[in-house]
């Protein structure tokens, strides 16, 4: 750990900017922000042979470091946030899982305080308004139809910090809930859904803009019944979340999404649960028991995949080295796109003067070597 880099020039690296990669580039940090030019006598850090990319933005994350955003204390939530920061995620939305309405409202109150303090970027409600046919790691007995009044209750409990709701929009009240969310500037995400192609198109037309972990927890693409996947991939209004951990998606599915939607419509997420950055063992995801073995989280009862143990530095490295996606495209998917969706692109998501000094240093093999958040080194790169 290291402190504030008050006036620093990071020099010699390949720097990924919105306009492309700059060889032998430099990033100037003044206080908490990126600056356009350095002061005299500014400290220079030589990052020759490295990459400097924007800090990662994770819009779908349930916890990490052994801590749950769904049920943990404030200190435990902060432990999870720190864990992901150490893996390059400098902006993070806390995701809940299905629970009783009063409990979710209470959690929203706790998490909203951390948003107001600047530790979190918002709250994502995943459940309880999802399909029992595609419930995944959610308790079926707690699921309910997406009643706009109950959606509004959770929005109010979050005190303006709710960023996204995942809904099975084909259920009664689904379309009305999408319209309510869109009217209030909250992302309506289609997920954990059993919708048809036509029902998905209707939800998009009503204002839905995100596909929650595309391919997972929805009907498969079929030639006579294309289902939600085709509708979500083809519509330019939709950004598709992808979990690139090698478990949730076959590489060909990832390639299909990038090819069809394009990098500008992909958001790489973790969907992480407590075990991310922590290890194998027994965990709870809401009311459900989870076993993590060899880094894969599954429900003890039924064996459904229960979130991931992914961190975004691993997702980045996989995308570039295994999936052969261009670095500039991965940066767009892991930083810029989610920042835009969350309404924070004026502050984070790219390396530009005036924005927060949130950045990640990677070596030539794309292994994480340094993380800076608002001018503070979370992990200071030790070179040589």
């Amino acid at each position: 750990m290291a402190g504030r880099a008050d006036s620093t020039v990071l020099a010699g690296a390949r720097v990924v900017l919105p306009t492309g990669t700059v060889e032998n580039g430099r990033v100037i940090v003044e206080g908490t922000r990126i600056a356009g030019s350095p002061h005299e006598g500014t400290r220079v850090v030589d990052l020759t042979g490295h990459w400097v990319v924007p800090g990662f933005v994770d819009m779908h994350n349930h916890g990490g470091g052994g801590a749950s955003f769904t049920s943990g204390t404030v200190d435990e939530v902060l432990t999870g946030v720190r864990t992901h920061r150490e893996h390059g995620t400098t902006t993070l939305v806390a995701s809940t899982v299905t629970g009783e309405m009063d409990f979710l409202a209470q959690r929203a109150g706790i998490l909203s305080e951390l948003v107001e303090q600047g530790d979190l970027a918002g709250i994502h409600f995943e459940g309880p308004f999802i399909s029992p046919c595609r419930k995944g790691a959610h308790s079926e007995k707690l699921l309910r139809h997406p009643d706009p009044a109950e959606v509004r209750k959770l929005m109010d409990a979050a005190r303006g910090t709710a960023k996204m709701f995942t809904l099975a929009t084909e259920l009664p009240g689904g379309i009305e809930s999408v319209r309510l969310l869109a009217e209030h500037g909250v992302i309506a995400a289609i997920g954990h859904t059993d919708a048809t192609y036509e029902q998905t198109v209707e939800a998009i037309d009503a204002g839905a803009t995100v596909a929650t972990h595309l391919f997972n927890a929805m009907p498969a693409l079929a030639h006579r019944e294309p289902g939600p996947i085709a509708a979500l991939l083809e519509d330019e209004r939709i950004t598709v979340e992808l979990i690139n951990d090698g478990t949730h998606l076959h590489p060909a599915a990832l390639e299909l999404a990038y090819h069809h939607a394009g990098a500008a419509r992909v958001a790489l997420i973790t969907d992480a649960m407590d075990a991310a950055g922590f290890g194998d063992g027994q965990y709870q995801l809401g009311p459900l028991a989870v076993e993590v073995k060899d880094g894969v989280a599954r429900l003890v009862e039924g064996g459904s995949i229960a979130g991931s143990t992914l961190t975004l530095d691993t997702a980045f490295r996989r995308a570039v080295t295994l999936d052969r996606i261009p670095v500039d495209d991965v940066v767009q998917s892991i930083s810029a796109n989610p920042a835009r969706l969350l309404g924070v692109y004026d502050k984070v998501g790219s390396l530009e003067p005036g924005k927060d000094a949130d950045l990640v240093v990677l070596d030539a093999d794309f292994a994480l070597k340094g993380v800076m958040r608002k001018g503070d080194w979370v992990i200071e790169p030790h070179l040589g």
Side-chain angles (χ1 to χ4, degrees), residues 63-126:
S68 168
F69 298 151
T70 295
S71 58
T73 64
V74 168
D75 285 345
E76 287 169 342
V77 172
L78 291 173
T79 294
V81 170
R82 282 193 298 271
T83 297
H84 285 284
R85 281 184 191 164
E86 289 167 0
H87 290 274
T89 299
T90 51
T91 301
L92 185 149
V93 170
S95 301
T96 63
V97 297
T98 294
E100 297 281 3
M101 285 295 297
D102 288 345
F103 176 76
L104 290 173
Q106 178 192 39
R107 290 306 298 174
I110 293 168
L111 294 171
S112 66
E113 292 181 14
L114 295 177
V115 177
E116 290 158 4
Q117 290 173 198
D119 296 299
L120 294 170
I123 303 170
H124 163 217
F125 293 97
E126 187 179 23

Side-chain angles (χ1 to χ4, degrees), residues 321-335:
T321 61
L322 296 177
D323 303 307
R324 304 297 181 185
I325 299 168
V327 174
D328 290 10
D329 287 353
V330 178
V331 167
Q332 190 173 8
S333 301
I334 212 166
S335 299

